[in-house]
Amino acid sequence: MTNSPRVTVWNEYRHEKTHAEVAQIYPDGIHEAIATHLRGAGLAVRTATLDEPEHGLTADVLAQTDVLIWWAHMAHGEVADAVVERVYGRVLDGMGLIVLHSGHFSKIFKKLMGTTCNLKWREAGEKERIWVVEPGHPIAEGLGEYFEIPHAEMYGERFDVPAPDALVLLSWFEGGEVFRSGCCYRRGSGKVFYFRPGHETYPIFHQPEVLRVIANGVRWAAPVAGPSVRFGHRPDPLES
Amino acid sequence: MTNSPRVTVWNEYRHEKTHAEVAQIYPDGIHEAIATHLRGAGLAVRTATLDEPEHGLTADVLAQTDVLIWWAHMAHGEVADAVVERVYGRVLDGMGLIVLHSGHFSKIFKKLMGTTCNLKWREAGEKERIWVVEPGHPIAEGLGEYFEIPHAEMYGERFDVPAPDALVLLSWFEGGEVFRSGCCYRRGSGKVFYFRPGHETYPIFHQPEVLRVIANGVRWAAPVAGPSVRFGHRPDPLES
Amino acid sequence: MTNSPRVTVWNEYRHEKTHAEVAQIYPDGIHEAIATHLRGAGLAVRTATLDEPEHGLTADVLAQTDVLIWWAHMAHGEVADAVVERVYGRVLDGMGLIVLHSGHFSKIFKKLMGTTCNLKWREAGEKERIWVVEPGHPIAEGLGEYFEIPHAEMYGERFDVPAPDALVLLSWFEGGEVFRSGCCYRRGSGKVFYFRPGHETYPIFHQPEVLRVIANGVRWAAPVAGPSVRFGHRPDPLES
Amino acid sequence: MTNSPRVTVWNEYRHEKTHAEVAQIYPDGIHEAIATHLRGAGLAVRTATLDEPEHGLTADVLAQTDVLIWWAHMAHGEVADAVVERVYGRVLDGMGLIVLHSGHFSKIFKKLMGTTCNLKWREAGEKERIWVVEPGHPIAEGLGEYFEIPHAEMYGERFDVPAPDALVLLSWFEGGEVFRSGCCYRRGSGKVFYFRPGHETYPIFHQPEVLRVIANGVRWAAPVAGPSVRFGHRPDPLES
């Protein structure tokens, strides 16, 4: 396992530039809030954003990325298909991908899931309580039995994703809904972790438990030096 | 698949005989409330209770049972180990088992799960809302997106069971907890469905949605005429 | 559960028209070989092929299809994206989909899996032995512990698909490979079953065990009348 | 995650003392062959055997064990139930457990699985080829697409265990069988890895790939400092 995975935090980075309220909470962007924490946890971190050339996700950057973190909300449609294909190829080749909150509707997540990734939502600043249901999973390290987010956008079931390979976190919402909030998947040689919390108008990415889960997710999703798989025609049987 | 599975509803049948309050809700016992509904749904149903000889679960009865439903609460320890072994053998041999509510602590469920099956609980008559997270699963047939139980005993996570093969239902509780309330498992050639709702002092087993889920569970858990598996020494290779 | 699912057998239907060898084995096409068997099993079956208008998969046909069976090999790229989207929408909406053999590379299967669906292959007429690993699964009904295909195209692991929700069948090949040959998935409200055997130049779709698995798959994949899921904005909390 | 898990290798250690043939292959016992390799991989390792007091698995030893490796074959019945309970409690509390080969019939594995763990077997020195089906799993690190064991005891499906949470390795046998040879499970806060290869009369525990998988398994199964779960009566709701 990679001891110190190299992380790229990708952010759409639009809300922060156009909404004063968001800029106040994340003056350098959501990506920098997350990146700063991960650097403090000893990880090598770079950032990339939508408006950079190739969205900052060149072949070279991706080749040097062990785990990619994805936050986006209002501009999913502006992500170039060629970049989506590039990220997709890297995930299948072993790169980890952590999809945050509204990233559920990103092209890359929908493509990897094979479903609509749709859900119910409501912006009412409700309390969310996130329960750990797999206490022995690496993503639960350092957490208590639950943690609370004082004011959150509600996401409710039915969440239209395949059943996760491991379900680690479950959310309770003040308004009466529940949600599978921490979902682990394998796709190709790579790993995908969907983590529900986060919003541009709440300081959720400053909350220690949320940042802890993201850092845990990075370590879980880091690539493994497993076999190089050769697909296609194998004309010679292994046995004669 | 068996078109019309033969059902045995097993009930500890103690609370009903000693608590007037329970007797009022279930005058003929919880087993009769469930059996009556299943008969109305066209199933062949018998009942059995703890205080019958061999708890009513003789080898003969079990041999004629396609799906066994299990409710118990205060007397798990009085169930004879020999009967537990007999039920266990039948499940591995293909019989379906539906475990209701406090049956989570029964000997048979703990033996089939391989874990403590422990959980959090509170008796405060809280509202429970049960969400369907797998709308295409046979156990969800005929349900809406959720249904509510006005007054329920709370069961909260961490529920110490193996991750289910399919998670169909998730509960939200008024007091702030969540629970994996509809869990499907395969064990041997048999199927096990754990269904959380139900309590001796609430009329939950008179509620149409709860009875519907139990009937759906019976059909899902019914035996399949699959291969007879031969274990052990196979001295002759299939290939030479 | 739908008691008698309406089936549409879809076939690319090219090999049969251009290769005498294939036409000899499947004079009316692979679709008719399968459809004939399923009709004999009491199912309502229609067929559709690539060269019909809209590939025979109009909105109307799909609306009247409970389970769609898919065989294709040489012309995956000719399937119109609009038709793929239509089938995709129907699967997420509850329709069952059974993908046979070389259908692993169809647009619809790759889209639903979210992976390349790549594998190893070899055409050497090798013996294949298919083992049942989940004897209690509905898809194993009527089978023995294993069945053999005397001459098959080899498909070998790594099969680049997500881990199935249930793995029912495992193949052994004479040349030394293994393969996950019966894989069940849930996607949206629908079910997908991938079944490996089948080839245009072997009479595999005349073999009783293979036809039995397909018929079992149809019954397993049939739609369930579960909840209608409402996605999107839910402005009003369920609790106040 | 524990950076350097403390390992205890437990061995029945009977064959080595009574069969000259076995003693020649494993002069210091199977446990020392495994322990020596793991020490070389930088792990802290102790050993314990059946004939020591309390089988060498005192509460103190287990409290200092992060991952326990289990090999046994001819004397499963001699393992004291009290020790089985102690190991069981530690697994649910977070300790990793790696069960090797004939350990499938140990009391502890059967108790954790909730099934018979039965299988087919044949001692004919057949070739086994073990394929990696999850190339991105930590247990596949450093492996090729497959590795071979020149002479092995055959274990064949149906293997009567619950479907694993992750299936990493699949075996092909010369005689015509297949087997799920690398199976990962979560039980309580602990992890269990079943790994098929190994036999007292073949030098399998000297083979580099086999030792590599065991070392990988140790790292995967190491405890996580997740939440301390409090079960039982929670009289006070979290919400009022």
Side-chain angles (χ1 to χ4, degrees), chain C residues 81-206:
Chain C
D81 290 343
V83 174
V84 174
E85 288 299 319
R86 198 183 285 159
V87 172
Y88 179 71
R90 278 287 293 136
V91 171
L92 298 188
D93 199 42
M95 184 182 74
L97 177 69
I98 298 181
V99 176
L100 300 173
H101 188 63
S102 44
H104 74 94
F105 256 174
S106 61
K107 290 179 180 179
I108 182 62
F109 190 58
K110 291 193 286 186
K111 185 173 175 72
L112 284 160
M113 294 293 105
T115 57
T116 67
C117 304
N118 216 335
L119 46 75
K120 295 174 164 60
W121 60 274
R122 180 171 56 241
E123 283 187 283
E126 291 167 59
K127 187 196 281 189
E128 175 180 13
R129 183 176 293 108
I130 301 182
W131 288 91
V132 175
V133 294
E134 283 296 349
H137 196 283
I139 285 177
E141 189 160 273
L143 300 180
E145 290 194 279
Y146 65 82
F147 62 95
E148 295 178 357
I149 295 178
H151 302 287
E153 180 185 7
M154 185 282 294
Y155 276 9
E157 296 280 348
R158 156 67 174 183
F159 184 23
D160 183 31
V161 287
D165 295 326
L167 173 65
V168 183
L169 304 168
L170 272 184
S171 286
W172 174 99
F173 286 97
E174 195 177 348
E177 285 88 357
V178 295
F179 200 75
R180 290 171 290 173
S181 285
C183 295
C184 298
Y185 297 92
R186 298 182 181 283
R187 288 294 180 271
S189 294
K191 301 180 200 75
V192 179
F193 177 53
Y194 176 79
F195 184 40
R196 198 211 81 81
H199 195 56
E200 64 278 6
T201 59
Y202 303 115
I204 290 173
F205 292 122
H206 295 306

Side-chain angles (χ1 to χ4, degrees), chain B residues 1-2 127 129 131-132 134-146 148 165-166 172 174 186 188-191 212 219-220 222-231 234 238-239, chain C residues 1-2 127 129 131-132 134-146 148 165-166 172 174 186 188-191 212 219-220 222-231 234 238-239:
Chain B
M1 214 175 310
T2 312
K127 187 197 283 190
R129 182 176 294 108
W131 289 91
V132 175
E134 283 295 350
H137 196 284
I139 286 177
E141 188 160 273
L143 300 179
E145 290 195 279
Y146 65 82
E148 294 178 357
D165 295 325
W172 175 99
E174 195 177 349
R186 299 183 181 283
S189 294
K191 301 180 200 74
R212 178 68 195 251
R219 293 201 178 86
W220 172 80
V224 162
S228 295
V229 182
R230 293 170 305 167
F231 293 116
R234 317 306 303 163
L238 299 163
E239 302 291 320
Chain C
M1 217 175 309
T2 312
K127 187 196 281 189
R129 183 176 293 108
W131 288 91
V132 175
E134 283 296 349
H137 196 283
I139 285 177
E141 189 160 273
L143 300 180
E145 290 194 279
Y146 65 82
E148 295 178 357
D165 295 326
W172 174 99
E174 195 177 348
R186 298 182 181 283
S189 294
K191 301 180 200 75
R212 178 68 195 252
R219 292 200 179 86
W220 172 79
V224 162
S228 296
V229 181
R230 293 170 305 169
F231 293 116
R234 316 306 303 164
L238 299 163
E239 303 290 320

Side-chain angles (χ1 to χ4, degrees), chain A residues 32 51 69 223:
Chain A
E32 280 301 335
D51 292 326
I69 298 177

